Each structure stands twice: as C-alpha cells, then as structure tokens.
Amino acid sequence: MKAFTYERPGSAAEAAAAAVRTPGAKFIAGGTNLLDLMKLQIETPTHLVDVNNIGLDRIEPTDQGGLRIGALVRNTDLAADPRIRRDYGVLSRAIVSGASGQLRNKATTAGNLLQRTRCPYFYDTDMPCNKRAPGSGCAAIGGLNANHAILGASEACIATHPSDMAVAMRALDANVETVAPSGASRSIPIADLHRLPGKTPHVETMLEPGELIAAVTLPKPRGGVQLYRKVRERASYAFATVSVALIAKIEEGRVTVDRLAFGGLAHKPWRVEQAERAVAGSDAAADSIADIVLAGARPAEQNAYKLPLVRRTLSATLEHAREGASR
Amino acid sequence: MIGAGINRIDGPLKVTGRAAYSYERQDAGQPFYGFIRGAAIGKGKIAGIDTAEAEAAPGVRLVLTHRNVPKQGAFVNKPTIFDRPHPQLTSDRIEYFGEPVAFVVADTFERARAAAALVKVTYAREDGAFDLANHADRAEPQATLSIGLPGETRFGDLEAAMSAGPVTIDQTYTTPYHFSQPMEPHACLADWRDDHLTVYLATQTVAQNRIALAETLGLAADQVTVDAAFVGGGFGSKLYLHAEAVLAALAARELAHPVKVALTRRQVFTLTGHRPEMIHRVRLAATSDGQLTGLGHDVNLQAAVAEPWIEQAATVARSLYAAPNRLTRHSITNLDLKAAEAVRGPGELPGLLAFETAMDELANALDVDPVELRLKNDTAIDPELGVPLNGRRLADCLREGAKRFGWGQRPKTPGSRREGDHLVGYGMAVGIRMHFQGATGAVVRIDPDGRVIVRSDTPDIGTGTYTIAGQIAAEALGIGVNRVTVQLAHSDFPPSAGAGGSWGASNLSIAIDLACQKIRNKIVEAAGPGAAPNDILADVGRWFPEGVEATGQTIGQADDPNFKNYSQNTYGAAFAEVAVDIATGEVRLRRMTGVFAAGRIINAKTARSQLMGGMIWGVSSALHEAAHVDPRHGNWVNGDLAEYLMPVHADIPAIETVLLDDYDEHANHLGIKGVGELGVCGTGAAVSNAVFNATGIRVRDFPITLSKLLSGLPPMRTAA
C-alpha cells in the first residue's frame, strides 16, 4: 500500500470539492472493494475522501411516488427495507444474492454501483490488463474466460460487471443523482452510468472527476411479479454466470414481460428494450426474447455455454413468474 | 477417557485470542517485516534487477536478491522429504511463476510491501510447458513413489481380462490442481541472537523443518530452535520448508534483528505446494454378475524436475477389491510449474474420485446396485500383498451407511426422479486410506506436586492433538485430564514424525502410553514387590521426591512386524443426495452420510470434526475446486479465495458422520489408527455418482461445473 492522506468531509458538496483538490484522490465508503485493490496495489490513491460522514444514508419517498436511496445506505439495509421488499422485490432479491452478509453490511449503494470488475487478470498485477494498465493488452482473451462477457465486449476487454444490485436497478429504470465539485447536481439514467469497454475499458462510468453519487432514485412502483434469478457455481459468495431480473404481469396464466435485464453477460447490466417491446402484451416465450437479446453475442473461447444458459434460465424464470413463485 | 468427546483443552485459549500463532508471537521483541516479491514470468532469466529505489524507500532495512543473498546449502532430494533444504534467491533462473526474486525487509509491513513493488525487474522470458494435457506425451513411468511404494504393480494379465470381458469399463478421468489453503497463511518469525536461530514457524514437522532450515543456512541442527505451538491448519502444505521461513531466517541473521514474514493469500498459491493435475485411465473387467476379473489404474501427473512429488493416486485400488488381473502404474510429466506437494488425502482423494466413479460406471453397465457390487468384491486378504487386511470393516460401513441413508429409496434409473425444478439423485462410493506409522518420541514427567507434563515435538495443527495427548496420558495414569499439561511442537522436545499423513495422533498416543507404562513400572519397582499403585500421583510424591520422568518411543513402520504381517488401512462408505437444477445445471448437495472404520477413536468430537471437514472437502473435489494455470504464462489464474471456489456454508446441508468405534489389535497396542484424511476418501465420488444418478450425465473431468452438464439436460420449453 502506498502512503496516502485522508480526510472526512461533512457534506456531499465538500466531498466532491475535496476529491478534485488533490490529484489522485478517491472516495471511500464501505471500502469493500477499494481496500482490497489498495492492498494489491491495483488502486494507489494519494488521498482518500471518506464519505461516511456526509449523511445521505436514508431511503425517502419522492414527489413522483418513488423512492430516493441515499448513496450511503448499506446494501443490507436497502434489501431489508419494507418499502423495497414490497414494491421493488427484484431489487431486494438481487442484493441478497450478492456477496456475503458481512460484505453487504459494509457495502453502500453508490459503492456497489462503482465496484471494479472481478476479472481474475485484472486482479493479477503480473498480467496484462487494459483496465488496470491501459495499452498492456487483455490477458483474458485467449486465456481463461469461462465467466467473461458475451455481449458488448471489445478487443480491449471482455470483463463483466459484478453487481447484482445494478442489474435490478437497470430493470427498474433507476436514476443516479450526482453532485459535481462545482456543487452542480445532475440526474443520470442508470443505463448511461456504466460504459461499454470499447478502446478505453479503464473508463468504467460517465462520471466526471470528483463527481459524487448522492442518491439513486426509483420511479414509482411498477407492480407485477418481480424475480431475480442468479445462476452460479456455488450457493453463495460467487459471481453470476448469468442472472435475470424480471418484472412481469400475469393475467389468466399469460406472462407478459414488463422489464427484463441480465447480469453476468456484459461490461454493464444488460437490458434490451427492443426485446421487451417485441413481446409486449404477448405470452412471453424465452426464445423470441433471447433471439433478440443474444443477436450480437460474441462468446470467447470458454463461455459459449452462456448462450444456452441464458435461454434456459430465462425460460425457467418466466415459468416461475407464471406459477407466481418467488425466488 | 479414551473415546470421550471432550472439548479441546486449548479451546479457551483459541476463542479468547490468547493462543499465539507464529506471526503473532511477541517473544522476540519488535521485529522487522519482510515481503516477498515474486517473478512475473513462468520460465526464463532475470535480465536486470534494480533495487536502488526500494532500498531508498522509507523504513527499508534490507533488500535481498540473487546478487547479494548469503551463501546457502544446496537443495538435496532426500527421501525423507520434509527435511530437504530449500535455498532461496539462488540464481537468476526462474523455474516457476511467482518464484521469489527479491525480499524486502522494513520496519512495517506496509513499507516492506510498498518497497517490494519498487524493485525493478526485467526478464528474459523463455517458452515454458505449462499444460499437462498438451504435454502428456512426455509422461515418464515411475518405479517408486514419493512415499516409497512401488510405482507399478502387476498381477495376472489385465489386457486379457479386458478382452475376455464380458463387461468392461475403460475410461479417462481428469482431476485438477488443488491447494490446501489453510486459514493461517504460512508465516515465520525468525530471531537470531548469540549464534542461535529461533523460528516461530507455522509447520507440520518440527524436527524435519529444523534440519531443513539448519542445512539451508549452513548451521548445525542444535543452532536452530523451532517452535510451532499453535498452527492454523496445514493439510499437507506446511510439511515442507518454504520461502517465508528461509528468507525470514536469512534476514534476521543479516540484520541481527528479528524478522517476520507471512505469505499473502495470493502467495499461498504461488509459494507453497499444490496437488498435481492428473490424467487417470481406469479399466475394469467383470463377469456378468459383477465379479471383478481385472482392474487397472494408470495415472499421469504433473511434476517439476527440481523436486518430483509422485503422488500415490493409482494405489487406491491395490487393497480395495479382489480381482486376479491387476495393473496400477504412475507416470509423471515434468512441466515448468512449482513442484507439487502433499495436499489433504494425497493419492486417495484424486485416485478414489476417479476409481470409484469408474466402479459406479461398472455398476450401471451391469445394472447391479452399486452397494452390492462393492460387497461382492470385498476381500479379507490384501489382493496384492497377500496378508490380512486388519480392521477391514468395509462391508459394515456399506451396510450401516445404506441403512442410515435410506439407500433403498434410490432412483434405480438415472435421470428419472424429478422434484419441482430439480433432478434428484443418490450416489455412493467407498473410501480406503493407508494407515502409516512413523518414529515418534514423547516424554512424560510427573512432578512431586502431582503435575503431569507431556511433551513431544508433534504439532497440533488444529486437529485436537493437545486434547488427545492429554486423554491418552490421563487414561494411562488413571488420572483426570485436567491434571495433564501438554506441551507440543518445540524442537527441545522428543522428535516426532510430525502432523501429517493422518499419523500424528496414533504415533504420539503410542509414545505417550509407552512412557506412562514406564513410569508405572518405575513406581512399582520403587514401591517394592506386591505394590499396586492406584493413586499414582501420591505414589510419586512418596517415592520420587524429585519427580519421575520417562520417554516413550513409537517405532517406524519399517521396524514394526504389524506392518509386514498385515495390510494397514482405514475404511469408509459415503452416501450423497444431490439436486441438479434442470434449467441451469447447478448442482447442490442435499444431504450426505459417511460411515467410517478407523480402529479405536480417541476423541469422538475431534474425530467427527476431522471426518466432517474431510467429507466437505470431498464435496468440493466433486463440484467446486480447481486451480487453473494459464497455459501461455504458467501463472495460477484464480489465485484468490473469491475465484478458487470451495463450498461455503450455504453449500453444505446436514452431514451425518458415523464412526464404527472399534479396537484394531493388529494396528498397535492401543488399537488406534489414523482418522484425519479418511473423510476425503471416496466422498467426492459419492457426489459425482449422485450427479450421474440425478441426470444420467457422466462427467469425467472434475470438478462437475454447470457448463459440463448443460448440453445433456432435458430440453426446456423456450418457445411459445
């Protein structure tokens, strides 16, 4: 760990200003990802701006009938909130499927959105990685890539985004509210927050330097059956090979897809609105949705199994919705 | 007292944090901290190394590289294995990825780690061979295994039996690289003063590591003290001397100041030992009613030229089933990876995973009950050694396990039982593990005030050795275990064969009991004819005002007739139920029963913990664990505990562990045998066979991950 300085401001605006005052500064909240990366010297901030003292730790109703989730709300608290459990079940289910209880107790809403990828080559500082060392190459291409992206990847990076929470937020059309060092605030649709890797996989979001996530807002509840199905190699504490966030309406045994997003497939939570529109109002068939979602899929050497897995998992999830089962 | 499931006598120390492990020892005062920098290539040379910036970094006291490392003793490939010297930073050659290229010592851990990153290393990279499958044609047959057994055994004519059939299995299985990954990483605090080195070391073998360290540093053995009072797990990975101990000791001597080193979790992957990847060919021939006429097991395993470890994986069938035609062989394929080492259940874990899966394939081909197939081929005489199999209770394990598990309810047809979204299957397999005996000493002393002290250099690596040593002494002296003080794992105490190979408890128990017998005899002699001491502590006070002491010695198995006249093994049978998600192929264990016969059990609680942990290890070998090497670079790709999967709590439901407590009179005079690793033996195959029973899909490339099942699962309704 390189030596660094530290401060703990008292407001979001102060924190954003502090982050640009010192070149190489980073925000720290729960630290569940940043501290690991600092120990491995993958992240070497010169200065830490601790945002644990800026408030923003409440879940409050919005004027539009939705909820505003403070950036510092812990994952455990968010998943357990009665309003979230009642009206945004897909989000609660997604969060509790992620990480471990200990990590969720520490991890924050904003930190979860901004966690770095779990590609093992990103974590090995002796390996090339365009995300860690831009221009050094991507070791995952041609290497071990069984759990890497099949959609939206590039020649520079085939990592997947690790968050389950973000997949549910993508399905829910969440917005991310930020504060800039100037004090200006803006609202970013979650679809636009994360970037595809392109030629610059080290630039993971569209946030500007010093821009701090203050809250995530959820629109008014959509109702319906809300499911999150995470497929993984062990029962807990494993990253998704594929995950499905589904909001569906059930009428007379017919399942109509309202919102659908996937995890484990791409560099960001993956949602294809065109697929939702294509099956709108009709009894959903996994194949017709998957054909559209997977149209541009380009598997790497070891992850083509994700193509049938997406279809099968989607089919099973639609059946669960039909049965009214919750999982 | 023997057999009682008493709590660990060191439990309160551990749960209150007062049991100091190597890295926590404060005996030497404020130490410096060392950090190892590993090579970023798998094979080649160090072209240049610049330590100037690291040396100038804050707090740095020493930077060692191959250019300034003190002279060390050369590596010697001794058959005694764990006392081999392991010199570090010896040249500019890189033999494996992560091999130490620099060692930085500073006044804090963080400064040492930061400075280690400042060492500038350039490499002349060479092409290496990192991939077993693509270099399997290099396989070299081996005459002798690392544990001294023959590499090949041959009886009758297996080829002829395979030709005659009528029912045969000839399949290839692959088992991957595994790591022990104990909770406590490998660590050492080295203290050099007055021409004497004391190391507080996380080790499984005190006397052996003492010799290894002395020879590495060019010291006499009596210039080295090893103290391993508490060790947080070993599983084979702390048998050898490793880089952290050598470098800490070298630096402590150079600086005349204590130095401590702990490996990072990633370094536990690169700098300790792995179980080698293996390619198994298993052949079985049987009559149509299931009598084995031939069995064969060929194993080709990864090795390194520098220090071959030839794991005894093809030995598992040698004593397991009768059959007239038999062939077991081992080959090694040298790759440019670190030398493999013993990892929990060496030989048995991968060997039985392959062989007992093949037996299930045979049962399926014959359409006989897998339990019946095992019973039919049971034997009282070792089929290869021709001597009785003492304590052979395989059939008892099978019958008891089948009854408890409800084996009669198993789905007869693979892939036939569906419950909701899951395919459900039952599987079983048997386990066998060689029982070993190694020379071990213990000294027992009774002070005139009645305090009983037991000492041996056998470490307690977390298994409960302190406790069972106290129980054995208490039983032998007719006193309460609370009167016994057990002191272990110090090189001033009588040397042992160490804690490994599931032999620590039996080796140590025999020695303690013999020492106690000697003390009793001394008392009888002192008290004169007709004396019958029934309050031994009072007698000591009366007859031995200075106290009394005696040493017991367990002899090595080469000198023990029991090991010539009998084939010494322990046995088990495991039964598992799995559920496989019909959509995704995710496999989850539902329940498991293991029944084991390992002679007399010293402590029912600690034995059960060992066996249960082993059974979970078996589940892991079937479903989760594999370390992956990048064949382009030679590095461990998934070298951390987020990516190297093993079961978490949610993966392990109720596990039933049953011990057929017994007294094996042909093992030793106490009737006890090793139990530690028996739980991993065959339990993986029970899970593998349950997956087949659930799905009808046979996966022969372990672990059984979902992508290997997906294409064989029933079609889903995906169209409208």
Side-chain angles (χ1 to χ4, degrees):
Chain A
M1 195 184 300
K2 286 193 176 159
F4 58 89
T5 52
Y6 171 90
E7 71 178 305
R8 192 173 198 185
S11 74
E14 282 175 51
V20 289
R21 202 177 301 129
T22 311
K26 286 258 175 198
F27 296 117
I28 183 165
T32 57
N33 192 213
L34 181 61
L35 292 180
D36 281 358
L37 295 169
M38 287 172 68
K39 289 174 187 173
L40 295 166
Q41 312 206 31
I42 293 166
E43 296 273 17
T44 53
T46 57
H47 183 70
L48 287 185
V49 179
D50 183 339
V51 295
N52 284 294
N53 203 30
I54 63 171
L56 302 178
D57 56 355
R58 320 266 286 247
I59 304 170
E60 294 163 330
T62 64
D63 295 342
Q64 291 72 38
L67 289 175
R68 183 171 188 272
I69 304 159
L72 275 296
V73 174
R74 307 287 154 172
N75 285 179
T76 296
D77 297 332
L78 180 57
D81 186 276
R83 293 161 293 182
I84 297 290
R85 293 182 60 184
R86 185 187 64 218
D87 297 331
Y88 305 93
V90 66
L91 178 57
S92 186
R93 293 189 174 103
I95 292 170
V96 297
S97 77
S100 66
Q102 295 90 334
L103 287 167
R104 295 194 297 269
N105 288 343
K106 286 294 286 179
T108 63
T109 304
N112 187 318
L113 289 174
L114 298 181
Q115 63 185 305
R116 305 294 306 268
T117 174
R118 272 300 323 200
C119 173
Y121 293 99
F122 173 70
Y123 268 71
D124 187 341
T125 50
D126 291 325
M127 286 288 119
C129 171
N130 288 321
K131 198 179 270 291
R132 177 170 30 76
S136 62
C138 173
I141 295 173
L144 275 94
N145 48 37
N147 205 18
H148 285 67
I150 59 171
L151 288 161
S154 71
E155 298 294 311
C157 181
I158 59 171
T160 55
H161 196 268
S163 173
D164 295 295
M165 183 193 82
V167 177
M169 286 181 171
R170 180 74 178 88
L172 289 164
D173 281 320
N175 280 285
V176 177
E177 293 182 1
T178 67
V179 179
S182 65
S185 60
R186 63 170 170 160
S187 180
I188 304 164
I190 194 163
D192 300 335
L193 176 69
H194 297 106
R195 295 165 47 115
L196 288 177
K199 291 184 170 138
T200 55
H202 58 290
V203 185
E204 294 178 341
T205 71
M206 52 94 74
L207 297 180
E208 298 292 331
E211 189 173 7
L212 177 71
I213 296 178
V216 173
T217 57
L218 301 177
K220 69 178 197 299
R222 303 194 68 85
V225 175
Q226 302 200 1
L227 301 179
Y228 189 77
R229 174 69 167 99
K230 179 175 180 177
V231 182
R232 46 185 157 175
E233 296 285 4
R234 65 179 170 191
S236 180
Y237 195 56
F239 298 97
T241 54
V242 169
S243 69
V244 177
L246 172 69
I247 304 174
K249 311 280 188 206
I250 318 295
E251 286 161 0
E252 295 168 2
R254 293 168 64 240
V255 181
T256 55
V257 171
D258 181 24
R259 292 287 185 268
L260 181 64
F262 296 88
L265 301 184
H267 202 254
K268 58 188 287 187
W270 200 258
R271 179 172 157 200
V272 182
E273 281 87 343
Q274 186 200 338
E276 294 169 9
R277 285 194 296 271
V279 296
S282 63
D283 195 22
D287 271 347
S288 30
I289 299 169
D291 286 345
I292 298 170
V293 171
L294 298 173
R298 283 180 50 205
E301 295 85 355
Q302 298 176 343
N303 62 3
Y305 74 94
K306 288 191 178 188
L307 296 169
L309 185 59
V310 167
R311 283 175 198 272
R312 296 178 70 94
T313 308
L314 179 57
S315 170
T317 311
L318 291 168
E319 285 307 306
H320 276 272
R322 192 186 309 278
E323 294 157 11
S326 298
R327 49 186 289 172
Chain B
M1 188 52 65
I2 292 184
I6 64 167
N7 289 335
R8 290 160 191 260
I9 58 178
D10 52 334
L13 285 180
K14 288 184 171 169
V15 298
T16 57
R18 285 177 294 153
Y21 293 77
S22 307
Y23 199 73
E24 303 163 338
R25 294 291 287 261
Q26 301 191 5
D27 306 58
Q30 177 61 46
F32 295 147
Y33 297 78
F35 196 88
I36 299 168
R37 171 76 178 271
I41 61 167
K43 186 183 184 185
K45 278 176 74 170
I46 299 170
I49 189 160
D50 179 356
T51 57
E53 202 180 337
E55 283 164 354
V60 171
R61 304 304 164 101
L62 179 68
V63 179
L64 288 179
T65 69
H66 69 281
R67 295 191 308 206
N68 66 342
V69 75
K71 187 174 182 327
Q72 298 165 81
F75 173 77
V76 183
N77 198 24
K78 293 190 262 182
T80 37
I81 305 184
F82 309 130
D83 56 356
R84 294 171 183 163
H86 278 103
Q88 302 295 319
L89 305 170
T90 50
S91 80
D92 59 355
R93 289 289 315 166
I94 302 298
E95 307 286 352
Y96 61 90
F97 206 103
E99 181 175 354
V101 295
F103 180 64
V104 178
V105 181
D107 56 354
T108 72
F109 170 75
E110 287 76 12
R111 284 175 152 178
R113 183 174 57 184
L118 299 176
V119 177
K120 292 187 179 62
V121 193
T122 54
Y123 300 96
R125 187 177 153 152
E126 297 167 17
D127 289 337
F130 304 119
D131 175 355
L132 180 61
N134 282 330
H135 297 90
D137 56 341
R138 297 181 179 186
E140 303 163 34
Q142 298 298 304
T144 308
L145 306 175
S146 290
I147 60 168
L149 294 171
E152 176 177 330
T153 60
R154 185 190 292 267
F155 297 85
D157 185 343
L158 177 64
E159 304 285 350
M162 292 296 290
S163 301
V167 182
T168 59
I169 297 293
D170 183 353
Q171 290 291 354
T172 298
Y173 306 85
T174 54
T175 54
Y177 295 105
H178 288 154
F179 279 92
S180 292
Q181 295 295 333
M183 287 277 278
E184 180 204 26
H186 300 64
C188 179
L189 166 59
D191 186 19
W192 175 268
R193 59 186 75 200
D194 305 327
D195 278 344
H196 189 94
L197 175 71
T198 301
V199 290
Y200 304 91
L201 180 63
T203 183
Q204 297 177 242
T205 63
V206 169
Q208 294 76 1
N209 269 232
R210 180 196 209 186
I211 295 167
L213 201 50
E215 292 184 6
T216 307
L217 269 74
L219 300 171
D222 63 7
Q223 283 179 280
V224 178
T225 297
V226 177
D227 184 340
F230 292 102
V231 179
F235 313 109
S237 73
K238 292 171 182 167
L239 291 165
Y240 290 80
L241 184 69
H242 288 121
E244 83 289 346
V246 173
L247 292 168
L250 286 170
R253 185 170 63 180
E254 288 299 295
L255 294 166
H257 192 94
V259 173
K260 71 178 181 180
V261 184
L263 298 186
T264 65
R265 187 53 68 181
R266 295 187 84 82
Q267 288 172 336
V268 178
F269 284 87
T270 55
L271 295 177
T272 72
H274 56 268
R275 186 198 310 283
E277 185 177 350
M278 300 181 193
I279 301 168
H280 308 249
R281 181 187 184 194
V282 180
R283 284 177 285 179
L284 301 170
T287 62
S288 53
D289 64 348
Q291 197 74 51
L292 282 172
T293 55
L295 61 83
H297 195 165
D298 291 273
V299 173
N300 175 18
L301 54 96
Q302 173 265 330
V305 173
E307 188 173 7
W309 162 254
I310 308 150
E311 186 169 332
Q312 64 271 23
T315 65
V316 292
R318 289 180 183 174
S319 306
L320 191 50
Y321 299 119
N325 304 292
R326 319 170 66 88
L327 178 60
T328 69
R329 293 182 292 201
H330 297 77
S331 302
I332 62 170
T333 296
N334 285 315
L335 299 178
D336 296 301
L337 299 174
K338 191 175 186 305
E341 296 180 14
V343 174
R344 196 157 178 82
E348 285 88 358
L349 185 145
L352 287 165
L353 191 53
F355 193 88
E356 280 291 288
T357 299
M359 282 295 284
D360 197 67
E361 300 211 43
L362 180 63
N364 189 60
L366 289 162
D367 195 24
V368 302
D369 186 318
V371 171
E372 292 304 316
L373 179 66
R374 269 83 171 179
L375 288 171
K376 195 171 191 80
N377 292 284
D378 193 11
T379 175
I381 303 295
D382 188 299
E384 304 205 356
L385 299 174
V387 296
L389 290 153
N390 57 307
R392 173 88 175 189
R393 298 192 62 187
L394 189 65
D396 292 340
C397 293
L398 282 163
R399 293 196 176 100
E400 180 69 16
K403 188 178 73 180
R404 286 172 173 267
F405 185 80
W407 180 250
Q409 305 302 310
R410 80 181 177 104
K412 297 286 189 295
T413 307
S416 64
R417 182 171 297 173
R418 182 165 178 177
E419 294 179 11
D421 297 328
H422 295 98
L423 295 168
V424 175
Y426 288 11
M428 60 77 55
V430 301
I432 182 170
R433 173 156 170 86
M434 281 180 255
H435 170 64
F436 302 114
Q437 186 171 301
T440 292
V443 61
V444 177
R445 174 176 174 76
I446 306 180
D447 285 339
D449 63 359
R451 181 177 179 231
V452 178
I453 304 165
V454 176
R455 293 189 173 117
S456 168
D457 91 357
T458 306
D460 183 334
I461 56 174
T463 54
T465 311
Y466 278 106
T467 310
I468 61 105
Q471 286 178 269
I472 295 288
E475 174 99 5
L477 297 173
I479 58 173
V481 72
N482 60 337
R483 303 300 295 267
V484 185
T485 301
V486 183
Q487 298 178 340
L488 297 176
H490 195 290
S491 53
D492 287 349
F493 303 156
S496 76
S502 301
W503 67 2
S506 52
N507 288 342
L508 178 60
S509 295
I510 296 164
I512 292 170
D513 191 70
L514 291 174
C516 292
Q517 283 181 29
K518 281 192 198 169
I519 287 181
R520 295 191 78 107
N521 291 341
K522 285 187 186 190
I523 292 168
V524 170
E525 277 172 34
N534 52 18
D535 183 352
I536 204 162
L537 302 181
D539 281 344
V540 169
R542 182 171 169 199
W543 299 103
F544 297 91
E546 307 290 307
V548 61
E549 177 174 305
T551 300
Q553 182 66 35
T554 305
I555 57 175
Q557 66 190 58
D559 303 317
D560 187 336
N562 275 340
F563 283 79
K564 291 190 182 65
N565 299 333
Y566 296 93
S567 176
Q568 305 269 353
N569 300 280
T570 54
Y571 302 93
F575 297 80
E577 177 180 341
V578 301
V580 180
D581 189 294
I582 203 164
T584 64
E586 292 162 291
V587 182
R588 302 288 186 255
L589 182 72
R590 281 187 161 182
R591 63 192 178 100
M592 194 173 197
T593 295
V595 181
F596 303 96
R600 189 183 188 191
I601 298 305
I602 306 171
N603 182 316
K605 182 178 274 186
T606 57
R608 177 174 174 272
S609 294
Q610 287 293 301
L611 290 165
M612 188 188 299
M615 290 170 73
I616 295 168
W617 211 300
V619 176
S620 189
S621 71
L623 301 180
H624 300 109
E625 265 185 89
H628 299 293
V629 176
D630 189 319
R632 303 165 302 174
H633 303 287
N635 62 315
W636 300 111
V637 178
N638 55 336
D640 63 41
L641 297 185
E643 301 284 349
Y644 181 81
L645 298 189
M646 58 186 90
V648 295
H649 286 90
D651 291 292
I652 302 299
I655 286 189
E656 184 185 27
T657 306
V658 182
L659 279 154
L660 303 182
D661 201 357
D662 202 356
Y663 178 93
D664 190 338
E665 60 184 328
H666 302 302
N668 48 62
H669 75 274
L670 291 174
I672 59 182
K673 292 194 286 194
V675 71
E677 287 158 292
L678 182 56
V680 307
C681 297
T683 44
V687 174
S688 145
N689 297 336
V691 173
F692 173 76
N693 184 249
T695 62
I697 305 165
R698 184 70 70 178
V699 177
R700 301 183 182 90
D701 173 31
F702 294 101
I704 305 171
T705 52
L706 66 90
S707 67
K708 297 171 189 172
L709 294 170
L710 214 49
S711 63
L713 291 171
M716 302 279 295
R717 178 183 177 273
T718 54

